[in-house]
Amino acid sequence: MVDSAVLHASVSELHGMLTQRQISSEELTQAFLERIDLLNGKLNAVVTVCAEQALNDARRADKRLSRGKATMLTGIPLLHKDIFCTQGIRTTCGSRMLEQFIPAYDATVVAKLKAAGVVMLGKCNMDEFAMGSSNETSFFGTVKNPWDTQCVPGGSSGGSAAALAAGMATLVTGTDTGGSIRQPASLCGITGLKPTYGRVSRLGIIAFASSLDQAGPMARSAADCAHMLTAMSGLDAGDSTSADLAVPDFFSELSGDVAGLRIGLPREYFNDDLDSSVRAQVMSALSQLEKAGAQLIDIDLPHSHYAIATYYVLAPAEASANLARYDGVRFGYRCADPADLEDLYLRSRSEGFGEEVQRRILVGTYALSAGFYDAYFNKAQQVRRVITDDFRKAFQSVDVIAGPSAPGIAFRFGAKQQDPIAMYMEDIYTLAVNLAGLPGLSAPAGLINGMPVGLQLIGKPFEESTILNAAHRLQLDTDWHLARPPIEEWQP
Amino acid sequence: MTWETMMGLEVHLQLATESKIFSGSSTQFGAPPNVQADAVDLGMPGMLPVLNEEAVRFAVKFGLGIGARIGRRSIFDRKNYFYPDLPKGYQISQFFSPIVCEGVFEVPMEDGSLLPIRITRAHLEEDAGKSVHDIFNQESGIDLNRAGTPLLEIVTEPDFRSAEQAVAYLKALHSLVTYLGISDGNMAEGSMRCDINISLRRTGSDVLGTRTEIKNVNSFRFVERAIHSEVERQSDILDSGGSITQETRLYDAERDETRSMRSKEVANDYRYFPEPDLLPIEIDEAYIDAVRASLPELPAAKRTRFVSEYELSDYDAALLVPDHATAAFFEEVVSLGGAAKPAANWILGDLSGALNRADLTIESSPVSAEALAGLIGRIEDGTLSSKLAKQVFDGLWQGEGATDEIIAKRGLKQVSDTGALAQLVDDVIAANPDQVAQYLAADEAKQKKLSGFFVGQIMKASQGQANPKLLNELLIKKLNDQS
Amino acid sequence: MSISQEDVEKVALLARLAIAPSDLPEVTERFGRVLQLVNELNTIDTEGVAPMSNPHDMVQRLRPDVVTGGDEREALMASAPQQDRGYFLVPKVID
């Protein structure tokens, strides 16, 4: 029997244990599979478990370990968000539309992590097509927050965040189009990074909004995220928008030194709209960094207010086209006995997609339609530049921008489901980062009434190291990231 | 009421790249269904487009070939509509910023004049797949092999006034793109497809009428017929006081009529927006210079050169140049010593007739350029009359050897021996005293006509081998000697 | 700008989504709320601002014209809902 501490151990700790043969990858994998088996009925965080393949991968990793050929991630168990295509393994994107879809290819991220030696345990639940901030839009049911199973885990990478917090994997992947890594990371008390747009290949990731989507690591610490990001990043000839830049070893860049680091605090993020207890936690985390030598500087991002309107034009518009391929012809859900071609389209799509996805397709279609393109889509693209310019100007005087990751702690199921706008407000602090294509992370900043809160750190383009290092410093000085949900207290 | 026809053409040209515009699948024609469609072509979840450099180069070649402005920063857009042969539910095209901008294309007309046609734009896009309707009973089959084949869509202003002009434009375009090597231009295989926008306006008016669009016409002949039938349809409606509905129509060749397309009934709103999976293509001066340097001699320049260098007529040059291989064959004949004018005549006359009958292209002509040059040489030096030359040509076509061998084998040398000829002339004169008398009594104009009788008789007696020039001289002299 | 049920039906048809008549009032109401949110864009002056399609000021990379794909039909068509003899099937299309 494996010590349950390994379920919450860091990559460095596990790597040490694996290379010193204190535990095999197979034993470790078995322990996580049992953990998933034990908790998933309650959490619904994982939609597909690949036990057999995982154990095979683990045995292969063990061989490599025994030959002394292991790298940092060799044999480390991981779960993928079910938005990453996995060859031969069902990839649903949280939708009835893809309930039976088995890709013939791996996403580049999946292939890269596989090449780095990780063991894939399975696929995580998510909001349908990554559209949602609570994991309530998944066709496969809601994911429960392990800190309080009456509450949502956030979204759309809610299954990944909940699984990690509950110790079902050492690492998980997420994607972030408007906050889908950072907001659930905040609500589940883990560290999650959305890299700079173009840092990580989008090939094989089911598209939501192509100019905003970015995959990133979610883990227990900035250090683990750094290990993962190094493996995930890099130029991909198959993605025209992936950046042709050298990838640093992000882990080795974690010096822990933040002396002189200038951290900007946008007045627009810390205004009266911000919940006072969230403000208190975020400020307490920032004062830790200040103690370590960072400078806190008030700045302005004057057009922050427009991010939400801009996002809810651009993301649905791109999505309306990206989701047009789901027509019941080549893959995916097809309605029964279509009377004719139009019937095939209409019923396959309205039966295959859930309500929120359909709403966004409608909004996006409308924003692009004749007579509205200039007023909505083109206007939003202009405002996108205005918002991006705000960041560019701010970064002339600061190195990092900080704020809350989400407006509050995890909320109860159904609390925001009837009002799409209330739900959209969950991402009010994260959307602008996607519009500008910047890197952003959420790191645990303590608990409010027993529920996690996240600190968001935003960096300059391709300076993930700077924000990872600041979060690393915080995690050297505090143990917020080590807090574990009270799973043992759950009612059977 | 008289009506003036206003037409603009949109040509979809498949570019002759090896692989597709956004994927590594082969573009070859004729594979079994869906074996040349990879995950990108099928629009599978998570797949992304990556642009083929050759498609860009071909588009720039075309732009330079018609002297158009090249878009220095061109952008791909998504054109959104649902159709089973369109896998992603959008076509990647260029709407706002095309790669080839405005230009003027001068189309050579049959009378030797040049018709300037304004090119509005030409843009890169991906082809759709095909729907197959005749294999299954209840269903249509979808084959996506063609999906993703690079297309250049070439759009003109409404500058055409007749079917003849439209066809001349298409032929000139076909010639240009094959010269450039950017497309095989094969209309039957769909490498070059034509949409025709037609409207009529009152003669003298400058108000445009409502237009219809005839889609996917796939031969020069059908273009001509489709235009005639649509112009007739529209003018009938307008003459009887009706109005034209703006719509998409199909040309039905069997019935020789156009009809409304049912599938386009749902009004389309293409919702173009910049394709976020691709970035802007930037084309700089150096790139354009390099492409320009790689251009071959184009048809317009070649026509001019053929007239000045070989002293051909505009008419002959206009017929020799459009097909690159024919022009090359001509130049080869000339370089091997064949005189230019006879070379042009032989190629455009007997050779092209024989090739047509045998359904062969000039590249596979049984009569080589060398053989034709040899034949022309023997005509020039007087060995062969044009009549005998046709027999030698037949021998060359049948593969009986080179010109001189055939002359020897078939005994076709013309009789140029004055003594032998004189004997023949004397015999014929002696045998036809009545005709001689008639001849001598006639005036000069009539004599010319009557001499034909004697020529015919002498040719017959010589089995066609008498040298006609020599024969004529002798005959006239000897006839006049009779007086 | 507000939106009518007819507008929503028109947009739904463009997007090939069927909305049950009984759902239409609620769909329209929620759609309207989203529109109200995004209408805020009208309050910002963007005169002369170039639209931004992508976060990065990069240009398109080009791929060499090389055939890389082989025949993957079997694997790629494995998840096709309806197929026969190598074709995807749809209800008869009439042009």
Side-chain angles (χ1 to χ4, degrees):
Chain A
M1 184 67 200
V2 172
D3 185 334
S4 78
V6 301
L7 300 171
H8 293 274
S10 71
V11 168
S12 301
E13 287 162 350
L14 291 178
H15 179 68
M17 292 170 75
L18 287 165
T19 48
Q20 285 159 41
R21 318 301 294 152
Q22 291 165 1
I23 191 170
S24 69
S25 177
E26 188 177 354
E27 288 166 324
L28 193 57
T29 299
Q30 193 59 51
F32 279 107
L33 289 171
E34 281 164 17
R35 179 74 165 182
I36 292 169
D37 202 36
L38 179 71
L39 298 181
N40 202 44
K42 185 86 176 175
L43 294 178
N44 195 30
V46 178
V47 290
T48 304
V49 179
C50 338
E52 201 176 318
Q53 183 181 323
L55 290 167
N56 281 335
D57 287 354
R59 285 188 278 267
R60 206 166 304 130
D62 283 329
K63 273 187 201 147
R64 211 179 319 164
L65 282 157
S66 67
R67 291 200 307 267
K69 296 232 168 156
T71 59
M72 205 63 201
L73 296 182
T74 304
I76 305 288
L78 163 145
L79 284 161
H80 279 299
K81 184 180 183 178
D82 208 16
I83 197 169
F84 293 89
C85 287
T86 41
Q87 187 177 356
I89 293 165
R90 183 178 80 138
T91 301
T92 69
C93 218
S95 183
R96 181 185 195 190
M97 187 58 86
L98 294 176
E99 190 182 359
Q100 314 285 349
F101 176 61
I102 298 174
Y105 43 84
D106 275 335
T108 299
V109 165
V110 171
K112 277 178 169 274
L113 285 167
K114 200 182 268 181
V118 301
V119 172
M120 183 181 71
L121 302 168
K123 311 288 294 284
C124 286
N125 203 345
M126 57 181 283
D127 275 302
E128 184 180 10
F129 282 98
M131 297 176 188
S133 306
S134 65
N135 236 291
E136 291 169 291
T137 71
S138 171
F139 175 68
F140 301 95
T142 57
V143 176
K144 314 295 185 288
N145 190 319
W147 291 84
D148 178 349
T149 54
Q150 305 288 306
C151 288
V152 305
S156 66
S157 311
S160 300
L164 190 95
M168 293 168 150
T170 305
L171 302 170
V172 293
T173 52
T175 59
D176 189 318
T177 306
S180 281
I181 286 176
R182 291 158 290 158
Q183 185 257 12
S186 176
L187 270 48
C188 290
I190 64 168
T191 304
L193 170 76
K194 181 204 95 74
T196 313
Y197 184 84
R199 176 65 94 181
V200 174
S201 167
R202 294 184 296 113
L203 183 62
I205 299 172
I206 297 176
F208 164 10
S210 311
S211 79
L212 301 162
D213 293 345
Q214 196 48 203
M218 302 170 84
R220 279 174 234 298
S221 65
D224 284 3
C225 284
H227 284 306
M228 219 176 141
L229 182 62
T230 306
M232 293 168 76
S233 300
L235 173 68
D236 181 358
D239 174 2
S240 300
T241 63
S242 88
D244 189 4
L245 283 177
V247 178
D249 176 354
F250 290 103
F251 180 76
S252 70
E253 301 220 330
L254 300 180
S255 64
D257 181 6
V258 294
L261 186 74
R262 297 168 303 171
I263 302 178
L265 278 52
R267 291 186 180 87
E268 295 76 9
Y269 289 8
F270 291 91
N271 62 18
D272 293 343
D273 292 343
L274 179 61
D275 178 273
S276 59
S277 52
V278 173
R279 177 206 297 266
Q281 285 307 128
V282 168
M283 286 313 298
S284 122
L286 288 170
S287 63
Q288 286 290 337
L289 288 171
E290 198 176 22
K291 262 190 259 171
Q295 275 176 272
L296 303 184
I297 302 164
D298 288 330
I299 59 162
D300 284 300
L301 294 172
H303 301 93
S304 297
H305 175 67
Y306 292 100
I308 196 152
T310 305
Y311 179 88
Y312 279 98
V313 169
L314 297 181
E318 291 186 17
S320 73
N322 281 332
L323 272 61
R325 69 191 62 203
Y326 305 102
D327 57 6
V329 178
R330 295 164 315 286
F331 45 78
Y333 178 81
R334 182 190 184 104
C335 68
D337 306 318
D340 56 24
L341 182 66
E342 286 300 310
D343 190 43
L344 169 71
Y345 285 153
L346 287 167
R347 283 203 292 127
S348 297
R349 289 169 60 77
S350 50
E351 290 167 17
F353 290 137
E355 183 194 335
E356 181 61 27
V357 171
Q358 294 194 42
R359 175 161 39 249
R360 295 202 197 186
I361 292 173
L362 286 177
V363 170
T365 303
Y366 183 76
L368 290 170
S369 64
F372 298 107
Y373 181 86
D374 285 336
Y376 288 112
F377 188 79
N378 199 57
K379 180 81 181 182
Q381 284 208 325
Q382 289 177 306
V383 180
R384 181 176 191 180
R385 188 173 299 279
V386 171
I387 290 167
T388 304
D389 282 347
D390 278 358
F391 279 107
R392 199 171 40 77
K393 284 173 203 152
F395 277 125
Q396 286 167 3
S397 54
V398 298
D399 307 304
V400 171
I401 293 172
S405 301
I409 55 171
F411 48 92
R412 292 194 159 233
F413 289 104
K416 301 185 179 187
Q417 226 180 351
Q418 296 311 305
D419 182 4
I421 308 303
M423 189 69 85
Y424 296 174
M425 292 299 166
E426 270 298 299
D427 296 324
I428 191 160
Y429 299 112
T430 47
L431 296 172
V433 172
N434 298 77
L435 292 171
L438 302 170
L441 68 72
S442 179
L447 304 177
I448 297 172
N449 300 328
M451 296 299 284
V453 181
L455 164 73
Q456 182 179 205
L457 297 173
I458 303 163
K460 296 178 188 175
F462 299 103
E463 293 191 9
E464 288 87 354
S465 292
T466 311
I467 53 175
L468 281 169
N469 187 50
H472 181 60
R473 176 76 253 168
L474 188 65
Q475 292 172 354
L476 291 174
D477 297 342
T478 69
D479 54 10
W480 290 321
H481 65 295
L482 300 176
R484 289 194 213 168
I487 288 173
E488 284 66 31
E489 296 163 25
W490 288 356
Q491 301 301 314
Chain B
M1 192 75 68
T2 59
W3 303 100
E4 186 179 16
T5 307
M6 306 285 289
M7 284 183 292
L9 299 188
E10 289 170 21
V11 169
H12 289 86
L13 185 74
Q14 282 187 342
L15 298 177
T17 54
E18 297 293 320
S19 64
K20 293 186 178 176
I21 183 166
F22 298 123
S23 82
S25 301
S26 167
T27 54
Q28 258 180 26
F29 183 78
N34 291 309
V35 306
Q36 280 175 192
D38 72 4
V40 175
D41 306 321
L42 296 186
M44 301 294 276
M47 289 298 103
L48 296 172
V50 186
L51 182 58
N52 184 338
E53 64 175 359
E54 195 75 339
V56 173
R57 194 186 332 273
F58 283 1
V60 172
K61 267 189 168 179
F62 175 80
L64 295 176
I66 59 161
R69 186 166 65 81
I70 303 300
R72 292 312 176 87
R73 188 178 168 87
S74 72
I75 292 169
F76 283 101
D77 301 295
R78 292 183 180 178
K79 177 183 184 180
N80 299 282
Y81 64 96
F82 285 88
Y83 206 67
D85 63 13
L86 185 72
K88 298 186 294 298
Y90 57 84
Q91 178 192 32
I92 304 179
S93 181
Q94 295 189 306
F95 182 69
F96 297 105
S97 311
I99 188 160
V100 177
C101 306
E102 67 284 344
V104 174
F105 185 39
E106 293 195 313
V107 177
M109 299 299 292
E110 215 164 81
D111 64 4
S113 65
L114 291 174
L115 175 71
I117 295 296
R118 290 171 298 159
I119 302 293
T120 315
R121 56 186 283 152
H123 62 256
L124 284 168
E125 61 184 26
E126 55 182 337
D127 207 345
K130 280 181 180 167
S131 306
V132 175
H133 308 296
D134 50 4
I135 298 181
F136 307 99
N137 287 330
Q138 304 298 317
E139 292 98 0
S140 291
I142 307 298
D143 171 10
L144 296 170
N145 280 346
R146 197 180 69 176
T149 300
L151 291 180
L152 190 66
E153 179 174 336
I154 305 155
V155 183
T156 75
E157 295 292 307
D159 284 354
F160 301 97
R161 297 291 172 272
S162 68
E164 183 203 359
Q165 292 179 349
V167 171
Y169 164 78
L170 291 172
K171 286 184 172 167
L173 196 63
H174 181 276
S175 171
L176 177 70
V177 302
T178 50
Y179 265 69
L180 289 169
I182 62 173
S183 175
D184 64 21
N186 188 330
M187 284 188 96
E189 285 183 4
S191 305
M192 188 165 145
R193 310 195 289 272
C194 182
D195 299 345
I196 311 159
N197 288 298
I198 302 186
S199 67
L200 299 188
R201 72 176 178 193
R202 221 172 284 270
T203 306
S205 162
D206 53 9
V207 183
L208 285 173
T210 305
R211 66 184 172 85
T212 58
E213 182 178 17
I214 311 174
K215 280 265 180 221
N216 271 341
V217 191
N218 65 0
S219 79
F220 295 135
R221 193 161 52 97
F222 288 168
V223 166
E224 192 168 355
R225 286 166 54 184
I227 291 171
H228 285 312
S229 92
E230 178 61 11
V231 167
E232 196 179 307
R233 189 189 71 88
Q234 288 194 18
S235 59
D236 283 352
I237 292 172
L238 292 171
D239 283 340
S240 59
S243 59
I244 306 298
T245 311
Q246 183 166 345
E247 61 183 353
T248 304
R249 302 180 67 85
L250 269 185
Y251 177 66
D252 182 335
E254 269 172 42
R255 298 184 179 181
D256 190 24
E257 62 181 25
T258 67
R259 57 179 166 82
S260 190
M261 264 176 91
R262 277 183 48 184
S263 60
K264 298 275 172 177
E265 266 169 15
V266 179
N268 269 319
D269 175 351
Y270 291 126
R271 291 161 282 138
Y272 286 99
F273 73 101
E275 160 62 288
D277 287 331
L278 292 167
L279 298 165
I281 312 169
E282 280 191 358
I283 293 172
D284 59 18
E285 199 65 46
Y287 182 89
I288 291 176
D289 287 345
V291 174
R292 187 179 282 121
S294 76
L295 294 182
E297 181 183 40
L298 296 179
K302 187 162 283 186
R303 279 196 308 272
T304 310
R305 183 168 64 80
F306 275 18
V307 170
S308 63
E309 188 176 332
Y310 302 118
E311 294 176 340
L312 294 181
S313 65
D314 289 332
Y315 181 83
D316 282 349
L319 288 175
L320 279 174
V321 166
D323 177 45
H324 189 268
T326 303
F329 190 92
F330 166 77
E331 294 212 87
E332 199 185 342
V333 172
V334 173
S335 76
L336 293 167
K341 178 64 189 168
N345 289 344
W346 277 98
I347 291 168
L348 295 172
D350 294 74
L351 180 60
S352 87
L355 290 170
N356 273 342
R357 282 190 297 277
D359 198 19
L360 291 173
T361 62
I362 200 156
E363 288 100 324
S364 49
S365 169
V367 180
S368 68
E370 194 184 356
L372 190 58
L375 173 62
I376 291 167
R378 285 290 171 259
I379 301 167
E380 294 293 298
D381 69 10
T383 309
L384 291 173
S385 67
S386 58
K387 202 164 171 193
L388 289 176
K390 282 181 195 293
Q391 292 186 46
V392 175
F393 179 83
D394 182 61
L396 291 170
W397 183 271
Q398 305 296 340
E400 292 172 17
T403 295
D404 288 346
E405 286 174 64
I406 295 167
I407 290 172
K409 239 190 271 176
R410 292 197 178 190
L412 294 177
K413 214 167 199 158
Q414 74 184 344
V415 180
S416 302
D417 173 342
T418 316
L421 261 184
Q423 186 59 54
L424 280 173
V425 173
D426 289 342
D427 291 353
V428 168
I429 286 176
N432 297 284
D434 293 352
Q435 279 79 0
V436 173
Q438 258 182 42
Y439 177 90
L440 294 173
D443 60 22
E444 204 172 319
K446 203 121 184 249
Q447 279 186 341
K448 226 174 201 163
K449 229 170 142 191
L450 288 166
S451 71
F453 165 78
F454 298 100
V455 172
Q457 293 295 309
I458 299 161
M459 271 297 176
K460 206 168 149 192
S462 76
Q463 291 170 323
Q465 296 183 19
N467 179 330
K469 199 168 157 241
L470 203 59
L471 178 152
N472 239 4
E473 279 169 22
L474 274 171
L475 177 67
I476 303 300
K477 187 169 168 287
K478 284 186 185 280
L479 278 173
N480 290 335
D481 286 349
Q482 303 292 314
S483 60
Chain C
M1 270 174 270
S2 66
I3 190 155
S4 67
Q5 294 190 7
E6 289 71 37
D7 290 338
V8 171
E9 282 183 302
K10 233 170 69 187
V11 175
L13 182 62
L14 264 184
R16 296 301 188 277
L17 292 171
I19 302 174
S22 57
D23 292 343
L24 192 57
E26 195 184 322
V27 170
T28 305
E29 191 269 328
R30 290 186 178 183
F31 193 136
R33 272 196 272 169
V34 178
L35 276 191
Q36 216 174 352
L37 172 80
V38 302
N39 279 340
E40 216 153 87
L41 291 173
N42 297 326
T43 64
I44 174 172
D45 180 14
T46 51
E47 186 69 38
V49 177
M52 177 173 154
S53 301
N54 195 280
H56 293 309
D57 196 19
M58 303 192 299
V59 297
Q60 183 61 41
R61 274 191 300 270
L62 301 174
R63 172 179 67 79
D65 181 24
V66 175
V67 174
T68 51
D71 177 3
E72 301 169 75
R73 184 170 81 181
E74 201 182 326
L76 291 173
M77 288 185 81
S79 38
Q82 218 185 325
Q83 55 171 307
D84 191 3
R85 282 165 270 173
Y87 291 94
F88 298 102
L89 297 187
V90 297
K92 200 79 149 182
V93 181
I94 307 144
D95 269 334

